[in-house]
């Protein structure tokens, strides 16, 4: 069951990353200032954030691949393979075409270069791909992914800020600050430790929990 296996990997990897994040935080007093982060802290957190984002993207890719190639959901529902989907290269090419345009055909243009593939963790991209390729469980996948939309987008904004640090990406991060209990930041990774008011948890660990819940819902 490819979908169940994909979720198992998501859950295991995110749980491991959450342990590292909490271990980091446990060595600090209450985090309320950018002065509490060293340069090495920021490097560590940037790496952890990248791994979280890669883990989510890999899960989303696995779900699209399995659903187009044919699979069984966690509830035992059989999803038939789509015509034209013989292997991952077929699905990869179709996803690239579907991201760019609704115009048919999407199939018949296999791709084997992973660097050409879409940003799998981007839920706006997934909405276009799944809506246009329409595997049998597209509605369930989209409903599950959508339940984690805000958290995934928040992590994406912070990760993009860390990867492309400039005044504009910092402004993008500060634009989402109203949803959290915050302190001023001077590096994107500091925002990971803003507090989610609903759970009193860190932004990053709350996001991890919500992504796991979204993943579980997506494969049902």
């Amino acid at each position: 069951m490819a979908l169940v296996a994909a979720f198992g990997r998501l859950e295991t990897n995110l749980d491991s990353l959450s342990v590292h994040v909490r271990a980091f935080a446990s060595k600090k007093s209450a985090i309320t200032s950018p002065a509490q982060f060293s340069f090495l802290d920021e490097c560590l957190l940037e790496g952890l954030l990248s791994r979280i984002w890669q883990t989510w993207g890999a899960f989303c890719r696995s779900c699209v691949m399995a659903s187009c190639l044919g699979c069984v959901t966690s509830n035992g529902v059989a999803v038939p393979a789509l015509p034209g989907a013989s292997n991952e290269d077929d699905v990869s090419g179709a996803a690239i075409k579907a991201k760019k345009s609704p115009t048919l055909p999407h199939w018949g243009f296999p791709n084997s270069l992973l660097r050409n593939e879409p940003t799998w963790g981007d839920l706006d991209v997934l909405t276009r791909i799944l809506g246009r390729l329409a595997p049998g469980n597209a509605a369930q996948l989209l409903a599950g992914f959508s339940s984690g939309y805000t958290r995934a987008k928040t992590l994406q904004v912070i990760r993009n800020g860390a990867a492309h640090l400039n005044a504009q990406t910092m402004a993008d991060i500060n634009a989402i600050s109203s949803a959290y209990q915050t302190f001023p930041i001077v590096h994107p990774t500091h925002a990971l430790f803003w507090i989610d008011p609903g759970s009193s948890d860190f932004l990053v660990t709350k996001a991890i929990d919500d992504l796991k819940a979204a993943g579980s819902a997506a494969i049902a």
Side-chain angles (χ1 to χ4, degrees):
M1 297 177 69
L3 291 178
V4 174
F7 177 72
R9 293 191 296 272
L10 175 75
E11 187 173 41
T12 297
N13 291 335
L14 288 182
D15 283 346
S16 176
L17 290 162
S18 183
V19 167
H20 288 295
V21 171
R22 291 192 185 279
F24 171 88
S26 71
K27 297 175 183 177
K28 306 282 185 181
S29 57
I31 300 175
T32 58
S33 166
Q36 292 172 269
F37 299 88
S38 70
F39 172 75
L40 291 180
D41 288 341
E42 292 166 357
C43 291
L44 170 65
L45 293 171
E46 192 168 336
L48 289 173
L49 173 59
S50 180
R51 288 293 183 93
I52 293 167
W53 181 249
Q54 289 173 36
T55 296
W56 173 246
F59 169 73
C60 294
R61 182 185 190 274
S62 293
C63 286
V64 174
M65 291 292 169
S67 299
C68 290
L69 292 170
C71 62
V72 178
T73 73
S74 62
N75 287 333
V77 177
V79 180
L82 292 176
S86 299
N87 53 53
E88 288 198 357
D89 288 356
D90 290 334
V91 180
S92 177
I96 292 169
K97 291 276 290 184
K99 175 197 170 185
K100 293 178 180 178
S101 172
T103 304
L104 298 174
H106 294 127
W107 298 94
F109 310 94
N111 170 68
S112 60
L113 295 177
L114 296 179
R115 67 175 178 269
N116 291 337
E117 292 189 349
T119 302
W120 292 106
D122 188 322
L123 298 184
D124 292 324
V125 171
L126 284 172
T127 297
R128 293 201 294 275
I129 291 172
L130 290 169
R132 291 166 182 173
L133 297 185
N137 61 337
Q140 184 64 40
L141 288 174
L142 288 171
F145 290 149
S146 295
S147 68
Y149 182 90
T150 298
R151 304 299 181 185
K153 279 295 181 182
T154 297
L155 288 179
Q156 186 177 13
V157 168
I158 298 172
R159 181 262 178 192
N160 286 348
H164 312 285
L165 181 56
N166 56 56
Q168 293 178 352
T169 57
M170 285 295 288
D172 290 339
I173 295 169
N174 283 308
I176 62 176
S177 65
S178 61
Y180 299 93
Q181 297 171 13
T182 67
F183 54 87
I185 64 172
V186 296
H187 189 271
T189 57
H190 301 170
L192 298 174
F193 293 93
W194 287 345
I195 299 296
D196 173 71
S199 63
S200 298
D201 205 351
F202 296 124
L203 178 159
V204 61
T205 42
K206 174 59 175 171
I208 286 173
D209 288 343
D210 285 359
L211 290 183
K212 289 192 298 180
S216 179
I219 67 166

